[in-house]
Amino acid sequence: MESNVSVGLLGLGVVGSGVIKLIESHQEELAHQLGCNVNVKSALVRDLEKARNVDIGDTYLTTNPDDVLQDPDIDVIVEVMGGIEEARRHILKAFEAKKHIVTANKDLIALHGPALQEAASRNGCDLFYEASVAGGIPILRGLTEGLVSDRIQKIMGIVNGTTNYILTKMDCDGVSYESALQEAKELGFAEADPTADVGGLDAARKMAILARLAFYTNVDLEDVEVSGISDIQLEDLQYGKKLGYMMKLIGYAQIHEHKLEAHVQPTLLSRNHPLAGVKNEYNAVYVYGDAVGETMFYGPGAGSLPTATAVMSDVVAVVKNIRLGVNGRRHIKPLFKKELTTPDESFGKFYFRLHVKDEVGAFSTISTLFNNLHISFERILQTPFIKEELAEIVFVTHQTSLLKFEEALEKLKSLDVVKEVKSHYRVEGDADQ
Amino acid sequence: MESNVSVGLLGLGVVGSGVIKLIESHQEELAHQLGCNVNVKSALVRDLEKARNVDIGDTYLTTNPDDVLQDPDIDVIVEVMGGIEEARRHILKAFEAKKHIVTANKDLIALHGPALQEAASRNGCDLFYEASVAGGIPILRGLTEGLVSDRIQKIMGIVNGTTNYILTKMDCDGVSYESALQEAKELGFAEADPTADVGGLDAARKMAILARLAFYTNVDLEDVEVSGISDIQLEDLQYGKKLGYMMKLIGYAQIHEHKLEAHVQPTLLSRNHPLAGVKNEYNAVYVYGDAVGETMFYGPGAGSLPTATAVMSDVVAVVKNIRLGVNGRRHIKPLFKKELTTPDESFGKFYFRLHVKDEVGAFSTISTLFNNLHISFERILQTPFIKEELAEIVFVTHQTSLLKFEEALEKLKSLDVVKEVKSHYRVEGDADQ
């Protein structure tokens, strides 16, 4: 058996504790894979005195980053401290000391991934970040190794557990957004300040990372358009159900003729779609490849031990590379120059819910508007008299461009018979008729 | 750019043609990944004159295996000829000539995988077989790399597209086994002789391969108990539906205290289970890990191009290893000595359908029998008078051992009030109440 591998931790919170537990409890399997033991030599923490819910064994706790970053015994550093600037500085310093980095930090990788990858390669170091997207689901390896020979065209992800939990509760139990959010907080599926989750930013970070790897192009976080779930009305879930759809916060990234389209938004998803079965706090990433067709990777998107398995799969990869002497050599540069789709190049189906004056010819006026834009309807539902003299109309269009959708939306708002456009959503997949 | 990589094919059928198409159409991505071009130099075929539905370009066709096996220009040989003995001989000869092997041959790997792996390692060669299980789904990499740091406890697979198509049709359209099979044949989802598929052998081969990799132990094909779907009655699907279950051919492999349980059998699966959404010819593998919890990998289980993506992901891995000079070094020997569970160590829930005499005390006699064996019921359905003086009783037990199940089954058959035990199935997951 070769000499042991020493790991240093930056951070000892939820994921860091999971890493310690996993190494402790799965030492036999790890040693079998690697031909040596793995131990956590030291961990950078904020507070040495804080009570921990994990037995840290011989791990040395320190508040001085250099105790970890400059320790010659440490080969691999696991960054699970979160935040951006401090983590980034530590990682760059670690690369200079020729340490390999495994990180679970999606915020950091979404913003600075390509630059950090460059720094890693320059120093002959590995930088792996499987845990940064969809927790325990090995989706980054799925893309970069499993589907490496395919040309991936589209990714759709349910990559935020908080919002998926909230939307599942709203859909199954018919409760409002506010009570579902409250329940999610009580169960620990939502943070005290859930803004980044419910606003869609967290999902956007993950989609930027996924899209980079899938499409071989430098996707920046600001390339991903974002809208969140906090304005979603129960009515739209109920109409969706009638039409065969369910509301999901879908991260969408597509490449078409080398042009990128990426967004995160609440979407009415067909109940026949593989992603429709992804409930509660679970995550899944649906990948459509030119040759392979439809695939999906499903699992827990967060949690101490699930995320730790992703971290440790990266540590195992680093250690195997150390044994083989091949670290820092698998970095692939972007293949395509990034170009974003314009609204006339982006296509989709759209759901509208309108309040209209309940008078003769109202619907005819609306359908003429859509007809003139060459947008046709796939499904229409009309409920008369929801309030005095108001009817509620719900319809789903066939495929049309985003440009035409936006034009239709503007024109609808200016129509005299339209009292209010209550809501509109993208629609994905075909519902049962 | 380094010199090109030459691939040799053994066989040019459905998968072989897919490999040629994929290399041709995705050359840009492959070259970007590998820093060199990949070309198929030669292919071993049975009939040089046969019309092919693929443009083979410069590929040299030959009926002499040595033209491929002994060609010094060829680094990687892709075995997609099928069959067992001939393929095995060719592969062993290829290893002696220091060629790396990528194979899609599940029959061969299920029977001879460990011995071939030994031969590969001895010669410093790679042996990869991602395409042998579940076509385009990168499940072997998911197990051996993505979930490498976890301790996998259980795998459940829908790993045969033919049977899943048939059972989906029976469930959704209410057609008989025979007509569903007929339809599957017409659509090309079932072969002219579907015995290996409908009998469960094909799924058992895949489960043996999966279990070996997941549990680090030498699982043999004969360790997997098999029963097929050809006796399934529509009645049981319909009762299943009433109880919240659907019938699936489930490959099951579990390790518990280092003891292995593996079987392939028609199973009533809860409609809430992630695998329940896997319809038609699709495959999926559900993996339960100690730390990660529930994950699932979903995609096409067969087909020319999907299977070719799996083959080519292996070719890419081999070529990267060649570039790095690390072939043949990642073989892990079994960690555990295999031991199989005995019937008193295997647990499950069971569904029974009985015809009983419709007389006072009949059900009481049956429930006393189960009571005496300490088996309790989870759900009971009774339909009186299906024929004169016969009632049909359907029930699902709570968890019990296989030993007790078998004892109950024997005793039921000998009861005077029981006219016939019409069927019994394993049940997985909890149905809605």
Side-chain angles (χ1 to χ4, degrees), chain A residues 145-171:
Chain A
E145 297 178 10
L147 301 176
V148 60
S149 68
D150 203 356
R151 185 178 297 145
I152 294 169
Q153 297 177 346
K154 185 163 81 169
I155 299 180
M156 285 167 61
I158 294 176
V159 288
N160 179 275
T162 307
T163 48
N164 202 46
Y165 184 85
I166 292 171
L167 293 173
T168 303
K169 287 294 129 182
M170 290 175 73
D171 185 68

Side-chain angles (χ1 to χ4, degrees), chain A residues 22 25-30 32-34 130 136-138 141-142 144-151 216 258 271-272 274 277 279 282 286 290-300 305-306 308-314 316-317 320-321 323-326 329-330 332-336, chain B residues 22 25-30 32-34 130 136-138 141-142 144-151 216 258 271-272 274 277 279 282 286 290-300 305-306 308-314 316-317 320-321 323-326 329-330 332-336:
Chain A
L22 196 61
S25 60
H26 293 189
Q27 190 63 252
E28 188 180 14
E29 285 83 356
L30 289 167
H32 184 69
Q33 279 287 327
L34 298 172
E130 180 67 73
I137 309 174
R141 289 209 155 66
T144 56
E145 297 178 10
L147 301 176
V148 60
S149 68
D150 203 356
R151 185 178 297 145
Y216 305 121
H258 293 191
R271 286 178 188 265
N272 297 322
K279 290 181 189 145
Y282 276 87
Y286 168 94
D290 200 15
V292 78
E294 297 189 305
T295 62
M296 186 177 75
F297 302 75
Y298 168 96
L305 284 174
T309 64
V311 167
M312 286 309 297
S313 72
D314 280 348
V316 168
K320 284 184 178 174
N321 285 347
R323 292 264 169 280
L324 300 168
V326 297
R329 289 166 65 179
R330 294 205 169 183
I332 304 290
K333 289 207 167 59
L335 174 59
F336 302 118
Chain B
L22 196 61
S25 60
H26 293 191
Q27 190 64 251
E28 189 181 12
E29 284 84 354
L30 289 167
H32 184 69
Q33 279 287 326
L34 297 172
E130 181 66 74
I137 309 174
R141 287 207 158 66
T144 57
E145 297 177 11
L147 301 176
V148 61
S149 68
D150 204 356
R151 185 177 296 144
Y216 306 121
H258 292 190
R271 287 178 185 265
N272 298 323
K279 291 183 187 144
Y282 276 86
Y286 168 93
D290 199 15
V292 79
E294 297 189 304
T295 62
M296 186 178 75
F297 301 76
Y298 167 96
L305 284 174
T309 64
V311 166
M312 286 308 297
S313 72
D314 280 347
V316 167
K320 284 184 179 174
N321 285 349
R323 292 262 169 281
L324 300 169
V326 296
R329 289 165 64 178
R330 295 205 170 183
I332 306 288
K333 289 205 168 60
L335 173 60
F336 301 117

Side-chain angles (χ1 to χ4, degrees), chain B residues 138-210:
Chain B
I139 178 63
L140 301 193
R141 287 207 158 66
L143 291 176
T144 57
E145 297 177 11
L147 301 176
V148 61
S149 68
D150 204 356
R151 185 177 296 144
I152 295 170
Q153 296 177 346
K154 185 163 81 168
I155 299 180
M156 287 168 59
I158 294 177
V159 287
N160 179 274
T162 307
T163 47
N164 202 46
Y165 184 85
I166 292 170
L167 293 173
T168 303
K169 288 293 131 183
M170 290 175 73
D171 184 67
C172 296
D173 302 346
V175 300
S176 69
Y177 168 76
E178 289 74 18
S179 20
L181 173 60
Q182 188 54 38
E183 193 183 327
K185 282 185 183 173
E186 284 160 13
L187 290 168
F189 295 140
E191 297 183 43
D193 176 4
T195 317
D197 292 314
V198 301
L201 175 62
D202 176 82
R205 287 168 173 154
K206 293 162 182 167
M207 292 310 297
I209 298 171
L210 287 171

